[in-house]
Amino acid sequence: MRRLALVGVLVAVAVTLMGASVAWGADTITPMCTTAQGTQPCAAGWYTAPILQLSWDWTAGGTPSNCNESSYQTDSVAPVSCTVSWGQVGFTAFYTVQVEISSPTATATPSRPPDSNGWYNAPVSFAFQGSSFSHIASCTSATYSGPAITNATVAGTCTDNAGKSVTVTSAPFAYDATPPTLTATATAGDQTVAVSWQTGGDMAPIASIQVTRSGGTKAADVATVYNGDGTGFEDRHLKNGVRYTYAITARDLAGNVATQTVKVTPDARLLGPARNAHVTAPP
């Protein structure tokens, strides 16, 4: 017989397995896992519920020795083995217990800090990173590009090697990629120009208004004549008959900018008769 022929040359055989029976000829050693669903041959990979009892099964006639038997009800990666002898021939089977009872965790991190005053004004990507006893196998990614909102969020998922998934949502952030609406007018006076403007249609509040003036004796010269957060101002000490160009720039808290220009020529006003004045026609 085959087994008898091997007795004189073979004392023991060691085999490493992951969830499969060890077989030598007609003899087998099988790790058995008992869970809440019952007892069956241990499977390869990860268990996500406790192994209530690890045991071993072998073909009849074998004599076991040094067989690890235990329960695994916490996160575990444990090598176990069992040796069974048939006469003078012994087999040792190895199995690695992999149990993950805990759940993975994950975080969401933006690719850059806010662009201006805590606001994003351009698409921003988020990386999702996870942690797990069995280690993370993969995570999704996400990019936010609108709509404008003060409490935007993005969500992503990480999956670990045990097949468990976790979904995480980013911390709220403010987003506005749209310039504010801006209209501007200018009214000429005697050596003065009154410039006024209106803003609106923007999620991020207006942070500042800047007005520059070009023209005069040196048309290429540009001067900043107003910085503030009002809705208008009066530019004085101008030259009548000279055409001036005003550029009104509105900047919101998110860093978005809108600009309007107006052209105007101050001039002296025509004098009219004083109120209640008596006018006499010439003879």
Side-chain angles (χ1 to χ4, degrees), residues 15 54 83 98 118 120 231 257:
V15 182
L54 174 73
T83 300
Q98 297 185 116
Y120 289 97
T231 58
V257 174

Side-chain angles (χ1 to χ4, degrees), residues 45-132:
W46 287 86
Y47 280 84
T48 57
I51 295 178
L52 304 178
Q53 180 67 47
L54 174 73
S55 58
W56 299 87
D57 192 14
W58 54 86
T59 51
T63 302
S65 61
N66 300 320
C67 292
N68 302 120
E69 295 190 353
S70 186
S71 63
Y72 300 89
Q73 304 190 42
T74 59
D75 293 345
S76 305
V77 175
V80 294
S81 63
C82 181
T83 300
V84 179
S85 300
W86 286 267
Q88 297 184 33
V89 179
F91 307 143
T92 300
F94 297 90
Y95 175 73
T96 299
V97 177
Q98 297 185 116
V99 178
E100 181 182 82
I101 305 301
S102 61
S103 297
T105 59
T107 59
T109 305
S111 59
R112 67 178 192 276
D115 300 306
S116 176
N117 299 303
W119 289 75
Y120 289 97
N121 60 23
V124 54
S125 60
F126 283 76
F128 298 94
Q129 297 177 321
S131 177
S132 170

Side-chain angles (χ1 to χ4, degrees), residues 3 18 21 48 81 91 145 152 157 171 175 197 210-211 215 224 248 250:
R3 188 187 305 170
M18 284 293 293
S21 299
T48 57
S81 63
F91 307 143
S145 57
T157 300
Y175 185 91
W197 53 84
Q210 182 185 73
V211 181
T224 298
I248 301 93

